[in-house]
Amino acid sequence: MPLRLPLRLPRPPLLPLPPRRGAPPRPRPGGLRWHHQAAVEVANEPILEFRPGSPERQALQKALNDLKDKTEEIPCVVGGEEVWTADLQYQVSPFKHSHKVAKYCYADKNLLNKAINAALAARKEWDLRPVQDRAQIFFKAADMLSGPRRAEVLAKTMIGQAKTVIQAEIDAAAELIDFFRFNAKYAVELEQEQPLSVPPSTNSMVYRGLEGFVAAVSPFNFTAIGGNLAGAPALMGNVILWKPSDTAVLSSYAVYKILLEAGLPPNVIQFVPAQGPVFGSTVTASEHFCGLNFTGSVPTFKHLWKQVSENLDRYRTFPRLAGECGGKNFHFVHASADVPSVVSGTVRAAFEYGGQKCSACSRLYAPASLWPRIKGLLLEELQKIKVGDPVEDFQTFFSAVIDQKSFGRIQKWIRHAETSPNLSILAGGKCDDTVGYFVQPCIIETQDPRDPIMQEEIFGPVLTVYVYPEKQYQDVLRLIDGTSPYGLTGAVFAQDKAVVEEARRLLRNAAGNFYINDKSTGSVVAQQPFGGSRASGTNDKPGSPHYILRWTSPLAVKETHAPLGGWMYPYMQ
Ligand code: NAD
């Protein structure tokens, strides 16, 4: 059901209104604030089911057919113009790498500098646009994604990033629409957050964009994240250079075009696919660089952070650095857990999208008493998992991993398991890249809970289990907390409430998204704002009202409505 949105959003007064006669007295500093609430009602986008014969399935099928064996030509877009450079690149379909889904080009240093200038030229006017106007563009883009453009963006995400229909739906439709709508709502409501005014002065807060340009660098694994990394700062009045991932150019460009069609002025976001290091060193070398909105791996984020610090003396303003990185997410199972929930939750969290979600479960801690049952059921379910072509066969549970590099990395981990005396492969792990980059789901058991396979992110369909003596569960909770440098997501399965409380206390810093009797994946915008700390990132919680604040530089204004009087103080008389 498409959501009905108000055509005109309420425009809150810039300054707090003076209290009316008979109204309660003004609160003192430290007391409650006046709220001129004009809440913007939005709800999470419903997730469609794509049953055979349904209208959404028919529309998707048509969109998939339209892309069959096609190669879309995707330019850089700088200064509102489509630009081609000589550095041609191709994005291939991961499950059929003979299919080039997109031909695009890398922006070079020169073009990136042009993009910076074009963005800066648009900044002042865009920043001065009322937030309601900016929000309206994102509401419109969300409506387009929810309705007429849904099938196109889903099909491009399925073919380009090897997602099954449901994985594409929760990402490129539901999450992206939610990001656009909720951010727009939060932005409009933020304007109503105004400071106290004490007569004879009125105080106000102006939520300005940052002074300069923001670089948005997106990962391959969520179409929604790319749209949000570029979209959220734009909504808040910033201008952006968006470098999409090489393996998600097709869907990213579709999102970019939708934003333009929804009314985003051409120079607010420059669309610049580029070689990562060329992009990173060019943007961080500009004196106007004022923010990085990054999602991806830890080494890339650290590299960019170092480049920023090396250039610190050049900048006109301290840049905001937001980075959401990897995870080594856990499922802890207590002896009181509900076994079927553990099994179905773990199958989904470990293997959906081939384990290529930052929140994917990759370490499972099971008590010895329950392990035989859990193992039996896990292996039984594993037999049912179909790995294949998500377009030709809708029974596919997950498809190929994203590219040759990922395939090679996952294969190395499986070899490590084959050769290490601590590890035994219980099932799966066969790799075949003849047609696409396919890896069968793999379950490994480890005798050593600190083996590197329990510490490092694999980003593939590999789950490692450590079986512990159940009486030592507290030690295991401490072990989970201290095993890996990450702190992204984690889950505790236990019916015993006291154990749940203990786990919450001992694992307080082990995850930024913590689940109790639920799987470690599947956060929903505005319901479970996402992000972790430690090596997992700056934990800015996209999907919450706090996130958009990162992309503003508030200006506090005091205006006094009475003459100031003499300069001497009473005590001086
Ligand atoms: P990646 O680090 O390889 O690439 C991310 C982006 O950085 C890409 O656009 C890439 O081209 C670019 N890049 C690479 N080198 C660069 C450089 N020197 N300067 C500037 N840009 C550069 O990551 P990926 O493989 O695309 O994504 C997977 C990673 O992202 C995993 O670690 C995953 O956990 C993480 N991730 C985290 C979250 C989260 O919210 N925490 C969400 C999704 C993905």
Side-chain angles (χ1 to χ4, degrees):
M1 277 272 296
L3 266 170
R4 275 176 186 279
L5 288 157
L7 273 179
R8 285 180 60 81
L9 293 169
R11 187 171 292 196
L14 192 61
L15 296 177
L17 298 172
R20 279 170 288 112
R21 197 177 283 278
R26 273 186 186 282
R28 301 225 171 122
L32 289 172
R33 269 180 299 174
W34 293 106
H35 283 290
H36 300 281
Q37 286 297 359
V40 182
E41 297 293 330
V42 298
N44 289 111
E45 175 73 5
I47 290 166
L48 305 181
E49 290 185 324
F50 296 88
R51 288 179 193 271
S54 60
E56 68 266 19
R57 176 86 165 245
Q58 283 167 6
L60 176 68
Q61 206 58 61
K62 185 181 174 305
L64 288 168
N65 290 343
D66 289 347
L67 294 177
K68 208 173 166 119
D69 300 324
K70 294 265 167 58
T71 305
E72 185 171 326
E73 304 215 336
I74 298 178
C76 295
V77 186
V78 171
E81 309 257 309
E82 298 189 357
V83 186
W84 282 92
T85 67
D87 197 351
L88 294 182
Q89 302 289 326
Y90 291 93
Q91 179 189 343
V92 302
S93 179
F95 53 89
K96 191 177 159 197
H97 42 54
S98 59
H99 178 194
K100 292 173 175 158
V101 297
K103 173 181 169 186
Y104 64 100
C105 64
Y106 276 159
D108 56 17
K109 198 172 160 194
N110 234 347
L111 189 58
L112 290 168
N113 281 319
K114 272 192 192 151
I116 293 174
N117 290 336
L120 292 172
R123 193 188 73 79
K124 283 192 180 142
E125 197 185 321
W126 176 242
D127 181 42
L128 284 172
R129 284 269 286 269
V131 69
Q132 291 79 7
D133 291 2
R134 285 188 255 121
Q136 202 62 264
I137 295 167
F138 286 86
F139 281 127
K140 176 138 189 240
D143 285 352
M144 290 164 73
L145 281 160
S146 173
R149 305 298 280 277
R150 192 181 201 114
E152 174 203 343
V153 178
L154 291 186
K156 289 181 171 173
T157 300
M158 287 175 74
I159 292 186
Q161 288 135 272
K163 292 206 170 190
T164 59
V165 61
I166 193 67
Q167 292 304 311
E169 169 73 0
I170 60 172
D171 163 16
E175 184 166 297
L176 184 53
I177 293 166
D178 285 352
F179 272 139
F180 285 173
R181 284 190 182 139
F182 278 94
N183 284 342
K185 163 193 164 71
Y186 296 146
V188 171
E189 289 173 358
L190 179 64
E191 201 90 341
Q192 299 164 39
E193 289 292 328
Q194 290 296 331
L196 290 174
S197 287
V198 177
S201 304
T202 41
N203 298 315
S204 60
M205 194 75 99
V206 182
Y207 296 95
R208 302 173 300 187
L210 310 179
E211 198 180 5
F213 72 92
V214 172
V217 180
S218 50
F220 75 84
N221 66 339
F222 273 81
T223 303
I225 292 178
N228 190 47
L229 291 178
L235 168 71
M236 301 314 290
N238 296 281
V239 288
I240 291 99
L241 262 66
W242 178 11
K243 193 205 93 54
S245 166
D246 291 351
T247 41
V249 177
L250 183 67
S251 62
S252 301
Y253 190 59
V255 172
Y256 177 63
K257 281 198 302 188
I258 289 170
L259 282 170
L260 294 180
E261 285 167 39
L264 191 78
N267 278 343
V268 171
I269 299 178
Q270 315 283 327
F271 186 79
V272 277
Q275 201 199 349
V278 172
F279 182 84
S281 51
T282 310
V283 294
T284 55
S286 165
E287 62 180 313
H288 300 287
F289 172 76
C290 70
L292 171 68
N293 205 7
F294 174 84
T295 299
S297 64
V298 176
T300 310
F301 188 45
K302 282 192 174 168
H303 181 75
L304 284 163
W305 194 301
K306 281 180 194 154
Q307 285 189 314
V308 169
S309 60
E310 278 159 18
N311 285 304
L312 207 53
D313 290 334
R314 291 177 186 225
Y315 302 138
R316 291 170 171 238
T317 187
F318 285 101
R320 298 271 161 95
L321 304 180
E324 304 300 330
C325 303
K328 188 69 191 174
N329 313 297
F330 59 85
H331 278 185
F332 165 78
V333 184
H334 181 254
S336 66
D338 173 56
V339 169
S341 301
V342 171
V343 173
S344 63
T346 305
V347 166
R348 280 198 174 179
F351 301 123
E352 265 180 336
Y353 194 36
Q356 298 171 108
K357 295 184 184 187
C358 45
S359 54
C361 169
S362 64
R363 44 185 179 137
L364 172 71
Y365 297 82
S369 58
L370 294 186
W371 177 235
R373 228 178 117 210
I374 296 174
K375 180 177 163 183
L377 289 171
L378 269 180
L379 296 181
E380 209 178 299
E381 295 309 310
L382 213 68
Q383 300 297 318
K384 301 178 196 162
I385 291 180
K386 200 160 184 183
V387 183
D389 181 328
V391 172
E392 294 298 328
D393 183 357
F394 268 47
Q395 287 185 339
T396 297
F397 182 62
F398 72 85
S399 185
V401 299
I402 194 72
D403 58 12
Q404 186 74 57
K405 200 171 132 209
S406 274
F407 180 82
R409 190 189 59 240
I410 299 163
Q411 216 174 19
K412 265 196 200 148
W413 279 109
I414 291 170
R415 291 228 177 92
H416 168 67
E418 283 165 352
T419 51
S420 163
N422 287 324
L423 304 174
S424 38
I425 296 181
L426 303 182
K430 205 170 140 265
C431 302
D432 181 355
D433 62 352
T434 347
V435 178
Y437 309 111
F438 290 106
V439 180
Q440 294 297 322
C442 182
I443 302 183
I444 296 165
E445 188 177 341
T446 182
Q447 304 301 321
D448 175 7
R450 291 189 186 275
D451 187 280
I453 209 165
M454 294 297 267
Q455 302 186 33
E456 292 171 37
E457 187 180 49
I458 299 175
F459 228 55
V462 180
L463 172 74
T464 308
V465 190
Y466 175 64
V467 181
Y468 69 89
E470 65 188 61
K471 289 220 170 81
Q472 289 171 19
Y473 76 87
Q474 285 155 325
D475 293 340
V476 170
L477 290 172
R478 285 187 202 98
L479 175 79
I480 291 173
D481 185 47
T483 300
S484 134
Y486 294 103
L488 195 52
T489 77
V492 167
F493 289 86
Q495 299 299 312
D496 184 331
K497 297 279 181 228
V499 172
V500 170
E501 282 316 304
E502 240 177 326
R504 287 185 74 150
R505 197 160 33 81
L506 290 168
L507 297 173
R508 186 173 165 87
N509 294 306
N513 283 69
F514 191 69
Y515 295 87
I516 299 164
N517 294 317
D518 210 327
K519 63 188 170 57
S520 65
T521 54
S523 71
V524 174
V525 170
Q527 293 188 34
Q528 297 93 23
F530 193 76
S533 54
R534 296 185 178 168
S536 294
T538 49
N539 198 10
D540 292 297
K541 291 283 187 267
S544 80
H546 319 298
Y547 182 68
I548 54 163
L549 264 176
R550 289 284 276 159
W551 307 110
T552 67
S553 177
L555 166 72
V557 180
K558 177 185 181 188
E559 182 177 1
T560 293
H561 307 283
L564 294 184
W567 63 270
M568 289 185 102
Y569 290 100
Y571 79 92
M572 295 166 82
Q573 284 168 7

